[in-house]
Amino acid sequence: MAEPQSSRTTSGGDGRLRNALGGVLCAFSLLLIGVLAFSIRLFSVIKYESVIHEFDPYFNYRVTQFLSKNGIYEFWNWFDDRTWYPLGRVIGGTVYPGLTLTAGTIWWLLNSLNIPLSVETVCVFTAPIFSANASWATYLLTKEAKGPGAGLMAATILAMVPSYISRSVAGSYDNEAVAIFALIFTFYLYVKTLNTGSLFYATLNALSYFYMVCSWGGYTFIINLIPMHVLLCIVTGRYSSRLYIAYAPLIVLGTLLAALVPVVGFNAVMTSEHFASFLVFLILHVVALVYYIKGLLTPRLFKVAMTFVVTVGLALCFAVAAILIALVASSPTKGWSGRSLSLLDPTYASKYIPIIASVSEHQPPTWPSYFMDINVLAFLVPAGIISCFLPLSDASSFLVLYLVTSVYFSGVMVRLMLVLAPAVCILSGIALSEAFGVLTRSMKFQRPTSDDGSSTAGDGSPNIPANSKAVSKEKPSKKNRNKEKDSEGSSSVDTRTEEKLLVLPCGPSAVGIMLLIILSGFYVVHCVWAAAEAYSAPSIVLTSRSHDGLHVFDDFREAYGWLRHNTGADDKVASWWDYGYQTTAMANRTVIVDNNTWNNTHIATIGTAMASPEKAAWDILNSLDVKYVLVVFGGLIGYSSDDINKFLWMVRIGGGVFPHIKESDYLRDGNYRVDAHGTPTMLNSLMYKLCYYRFVETDGKGFDRVRRYEIGKKHFKLTHFEEVFTTHHWMVRIYKLKPQKNRVRGKLRLKSSSKTSSMRKTSGKKSPWH
Amino acid sequence: MPRATSDAKLLIQSLTKAYAATPTNLKIIDLYVICAVATALMQVAYMGLVGSFPFNSFLSGVLSCIGTAVLAVCLRIQVNKDNKEFKDLPPERAFADFILCNLVLHLVIMNFLG
């Protein structure tokens, strides 16, 4: 009698030791995953330099600089007069402060510890740090749903997935860098509250939701997904009191916290994006009340109560719904904002808001982009969905719902592939973990000599550790240790039936494990390639390889540097809105329009100016006090994202507000051409002239390397503008508005009245905004 | 219909009898919830009379009442001995969570009150 007991205690001690070892291995793996997530995003720093990328990050960087220099009160109340001249922009009320405050806090913390990192360095490396945090949050979320093995797998996959890397490389200092971490962490806390029913986690959930609202406009995804999940749970009969605790405090506290953020403000209670949460809040209370009364009454009386309530309740419901629908239908967009509407109806933006339609990130993705961005995971996901259903729990139903909705949204807008990334990573992690579990379990419970798999259960504990050492993979062996603990604790009968159900032959399972490892190897290779080659370009510096080595095109910074050092501090620079953020951040000059695109008419004014002939354009720009005009031209080196390729959007947006600009005037037979067949309106427009002025001097023939033909008008002079700077590769060209002549020749009746009358005559026709 | 009214009377009787059997601490929590919701309704009625400016004060007032009511319901769920899911949660822990959540709620309210 004493023998089995002592063996059980020693095996208990062994179990505890193995448990501790498993925990240490888990923590070490998580550390390595964090390091992996951080270092795979450093390719751009290694290949180029530690510089901020693209356009939007420059705005965030400028705001962080302001915050670090002037403190939080100045930042919160900041009115920026260096942009959207002459309107200015209320930065404090229109920016999502999460990212800036996070980076500002990190900078302040490091500086107070006497680690003197500059603001730029902190901004560049914020995204990799938070991607490490995001993979740890993924581990926590998947562990809540399926266990630590699946968690580690999902965390590893998320650390490397190209779609997330594309928006969080070192240098991509944009909202998504922090927001994806906040998203996953909020979901983790929600699932944790759902599983444990603890009000403490519900509070933390609300605070994490607050952080998400601070960080990104995509928080509306959370506040619509969680109500959908609650509704799903109610409808499938999985209502429990934990669901109430998980949802109701989140809504009340979350709405309040969302209303605290200035950019959301009262939209938290007034826009249709939040109505779903309130509706489900009411429904949840009704359901909770019904369950409570059901617990109080006998079944017969409950049926009576139900019939009584249903008749009265339905009438009330219809009345309230009618009022709500009347309220909502009275607003033209039914209460939704333009961006949300363009998500629900993909054709909405192209019809009504051309600016949203013109952004390349808002286009629907193509099939190859799915394979590029999530690679192998695209076909592991269905296996993950099946695995979530065996068994179905609240957490796994949440994961499936998250995946399905994010697949829809990623199909509408390529930018939202980013929201899809955590979902596919979690589900593929679950799938891979389950697959490894089944295969290694098959291998463990097979013995090559015996032909009866059930005889292994009869062996004592000493044989099982020997078997587990033979299976030398890290994560499967941890699962084996868990299984050993189970089998030692439970009776041997359970183990026998379990193996009988889930055992495959030994050879195929070994082959299966090898194939899965090779699959993961392909995934890793692809991710590293994507990170290094495809997603690490800083867009502000371009490189190209040719037979005589590596060429670096640093024209953008050259132009902004020239502006910074050679123009007056209060001079206004006009360019297309793409370059506004970079101009204010790097050149430190006032701009007319920038990437925030909040004022369509102002952008349309600039678009009209670019599309008008020289004199009309000069009038428009002079009315805005513009001194310098900046255009981006790629014809000399073959840079295809230049202003000539974007010109039709300028025409469309300008034509949307000023009807005298018609797109058909710029197209010859429906084709957009700037060669000899181009329309006269096109060849006389300011954009054409500013881009191609003196271009024929470069090669004598004016061959445009992007459009691949010779330009139409080759020799012309500029009457109202003068060229002040062209960068080394002709990528950025800066022109100055010529001041008006002091004397007007040949047109005078009276000097003063003739000038004003001639100005009025020309301005009255061409510039309707005077 | 007499049958409907007698059914309704029977219903209400059995409801009151079953409710009277609940322990006192739960009844106190229920009273608190009813008071909070009544306060919220009074605020909405006042808003209907006087207009909704300043809106943030109205919102914070109503949401604080509703919020504390919801948290009290959560406390009731966790403290209720008939609830099998929470049988190993000590009621002191439930109350501490309730206090913490209320603290956060009221901090936010005071900030938003304006």
Side-chain angles (χ1 to χ4, degrees), chain A residues 197 203 241 253 256 292 301, chain B residues 14 76-78 85-86 101 109:
Chain A
T203 318
S241 43
L253 212 53
L256 265 174
Y292 174 65
L301 276 172
Chain B
S14 66
R76 186 191 200 277
I77 290 174
Q78 288 184 330
E85 283 169 350
F86 292 102
C101 212
I109 295 290

Side-chain angles (χ1 to χ4, degrees), chain A residues 442-736:
Chain A
S442 313
M443 285 194 64
K444 176 185 148 191
F445 283 111
Q446 294 279 352
R447 301 205 46 200
T449 51
S450 75
D451 48 359
D452 184 14
S454 59
S455 66
T456 53
D459 297 338
S461 24
N463 276 336
I464 301 185
N467 240 350
S468 77
K469 299 278 187 295
V471 181
S472 58
K473 316 274 181 307
E474 194 178 277
K475 293 177 245 337
S477 63
K478 205 159 37 58
K479 277 192 95 73
N480 284 342
R481 285 198 205 96
N482 289 340
K483 294 274 173 305
E484 285 159 27
K485 270 193 336 39
D486 284 339
S487 61
E488 280 160 13
S490 62
S491 66
S492 53
V493 181
D494 280 7
T495 329
R496 219 172 299 162
T497 50
E498 181 187 307
E499 311 149 23
K500 272 215 177 104
L501 290 172
L502 293 166
V503 150
L504 302 170
C506 186
S509 27
V511 171
I513 291 182
M514 287 313 301
L515 285 179
L516 279 182
I517 293 179
I518 293 177
L519 186 74
S520 316
F522 278 134
Y523 174 68
V524 171
V525 166
H526 172 84
C527 290
V528 175
W529 170 84
E533 296 298 323
Y535 289 135
S536 287
S539 304
I540 188 118
V541 176
L542 308 166
T543 58
S544 79
R545 283 189 184 281
S546 66
H547 56 128
D548 46 340
L550 185 70
H551 291 281
V552 176
F553 301 102
D554 206 1
D555 288 41
F556 285 106
R557 291 196 289 182
E558 185 184 345
Y560 298 131
W562 185 92
L563 271 179
R564 193 186 191 112
H565 292 120
N566 293 298
T567 58
D570 280 330
D571 286 342
K572 326 282 186 268
V573 179
S575 67
W576 191 232
W577 58 260
D578 283 348
Y579 315 107
Y581 282 157
Q582 286 183 342
T583 313
T584 40
M586 283 197 269
N588 200 21
R589 292 289 171 265
T590 311
V591 290
I592 307 294
V593 287
D594 70 12
N595 307 54
N596 189 34
T597 65
W598 66 268
N599 191 330
N600 195 34
T601 311
H602 221 51
I603 297 182
T605 311
I606 294 286
T608 311
M610 296 296 191
S612 313
E614 256 193 274
K615 176 83 175 76
W618 188 94
D619 285 333
I620 299 175
L621 293 174
N622 195 38
S623 76
L624 288 171
D625 292 345
V626 170
K627 200 96 175 284
Y628 294 92
V629 180
L630 185 152
V631 291
V632 169
F633 170 62
L636 185 66
I637 54 161
Y639 174 62
S640 54
S641 313
D642 65 351
D643 279 356
I644 292 283
N645 275 356
K646 291 181 196 164
F647 182 62
L648 274 185
W649 281 110
M650 302 186 198
V651 169
R652 280 181 202 132
I653 295 176
V657 180
F658 300 104
H660 65 275
I661 304 281
K662 293 187 256 303
E663 191 180 343
S664 47
D665 287 342
Y666 298 85
L667 303 173
R668 170 80 67 193
D669 305 326
N671 287 327
Y672 176 54
R673 304 189 71 90
V674 290
D675 57 0
H677 296 291
T679 58
T681 330
M682 178 71 223
L683 296 180
N684 273 327
S685 64
L686 185 72
M687 179 55 69
Y688 178 89
K689 287 196 167 167
L690 293 188
C691 282
Y692 290 116
Y693 179 62
R694 291 192 313 115
F695 182 55
V696 69
E697 295 171 16
T698 56
D699 61 350
K701 285 193 274 123
F703 183 77
D704 184 337
R705 287 212 175 93
V706 176
R707 267 58 64 176
R708 304 206 151 269
Y709 41 66
E710 290 183 9
I711 57 175
K713 215 191 310 196
K714 298 188 190 179
H715 304 273
F716 57 88
K717 282 202 199 313
L718 292 175
T719 52
H720 289 74
F721 295 84
E722 59 175 325
E723 182 185 4
V724 284
F725 186 65
T726 298
T727 57
H728 186 216
H729 299 103
W730 287 56
M731 275 178 68
V732 184
R733 312 194 65 183
I734 306 181
Y735 293 83
K736 187 171 173 174

Side-chain angles (χ1 to χ4, degrees), chain A residues 196-203 207 239-242 244-246 248-249 251-253 255-257 259-260 265-266 269-270 281 285 292-293 296-298 300-302 304-306 308, chain B residues 7-8 10-11 14-15 18-19 22 30 55-56 59-60 63-64 66-67 69-71 73-78 80 83 85-86 89 93-94 97-98 100-101 104-105 108-109 111-112:
Chain A
T196 59
S198 152
L199 201 54
F200 173 64
Y201 279 109
T203 318
L207 290 175
Y239 171 80
S240 66
S241 43
R242 289 171 288 119
Y244 183 86
I245 297 181
I251 289 304
V252 179
L253 212 53
T255 309
L256 265 174
L257 286 168
L260 269 185
F266 295 147
V269 291
M270 307 238 280
F281 185 68
H285 274 91
Y292 174 65
I293 295 195
L296 278 186
L297 298 174
T298 65
R300 189 190 67 90
L301 276 172
F302 180 64
V304 168
M306 279 313 292
F308 180 65
Chain B
D7 264 345
L10 195 58
L11 187 65
S14 66
L15 261 179
Y19 186 68
T22 57
D30 288 339
F55 193 58
N56 56 328
L59 210 58
S60 65
L63 282 181
S64 82
I66 297 188
V70 161
L71 291 176
V73 172
C74 291
L75 175 68
R76 186 191 200 277
I77 290 174
Q78 288 184 330
N80 196 355
N83 218 333
E85 283 169 350
F86 292 102
L89 182 73
R93 170 70 199 263
D97 284 341
F98 171 71
L100 173 73
C101 212
V104 173
L105 175 72
V108 176
I109 295 290
N111 195 355
F112 198 48

